[in-house]
Amino acid sequence: MKKLNIGIIACSNVAVKRFIPALLKSRCANLYIVGSRDSEKAHQIANQFNCGKYGTYNDVFINRDVDVVYISTPITLREELTVSAIKNNKHVICEKPAFTSFK
C-alpha cells in the first residue's frame, strides 16, 4: 500500500505536539513537507521531525507529491487555505472549527 504524503500548513502547537507525532506513527501516511508563513520556522519544525522538505504554504500546495494537506492555522485563514488546497487537487484535513460560518 502506498503511503499518503501529508503537507503541513502552519506550525501550530496542535500540529507540532499532537498531529505530527501521531502522523509519524501511521502506517498509511507520512510527513512529506512542512509549510509556514515563515520559512525559517518551517525549516526548524521540519528538522525537529526529520522531514527533508519545507517552505511556504504555496510550496505545499503546488508540490505534486503531496496528497493531503493538514491545515492548522487560525480560524480566519482556514477557508481561504482550504480553497487553495482544493484548487491544487489536494485532499484536506482541517482543524475544527473549519470555518467561521455555514456560508
Side-chain angles (χ1 to χ4, degrees):
M1 176 206 277
K2 177 191 177 281
K3 284 187 167 189
L4 294 173
N5 289 328
I6 309 293
I8 303 295
I9 297 293
C11 302
S12 71
N13 281 334
V14 173
V16 171
K17 293 183 179 183
R18 296 183 182 208
F19 186 80
I20 295 173
L23 177 60
L24 295 176
K25 294 176 185 176
S26 173
R27 289 180 279 150
C28 301
N30 63 289
L31 177 60
Y32 190 77
I33 185 171
V34 176
S36 176
R37 290 178 295 174
D38 176 1
S39 51
E40 180 54 37
K41 184 167 185 177
H43 184 216
Q44 290 172 354
I45 300 303
N47 278 344
Q48 179 180 342
F49 292 103
N50 299 314
C51 178
K53 297 185 184 327
Y54 64 92
T56 65
Y57 297 162
N58 194 54
D59 293 329
V60 175
F61 292 140
I62 66 171
N63 190 304
R64 291 182 180 188
D65 295 323
V66 172
D67 301 306
V68 180
V69 174
Y70 173 74
I71 298 176
S72 183
T73 61
I75 298 166
T76 56
L77 302 175
R78 292 179 190 165
E79 181 179 0
E80 177 184 343
L81 294 170
T82 297
V83 170
S84 293
I86 292 168
K87 284 182 178 178
N88 282 280
N89 297 313
K90 308 299 182 202
H91 296 281
V92 178
I93 300 170
C94 191
E95 289 182 0
K96 66 178 186 170
F99 309 110
T100 57
S101 74
F102 287 115
K103 292 179 184 181

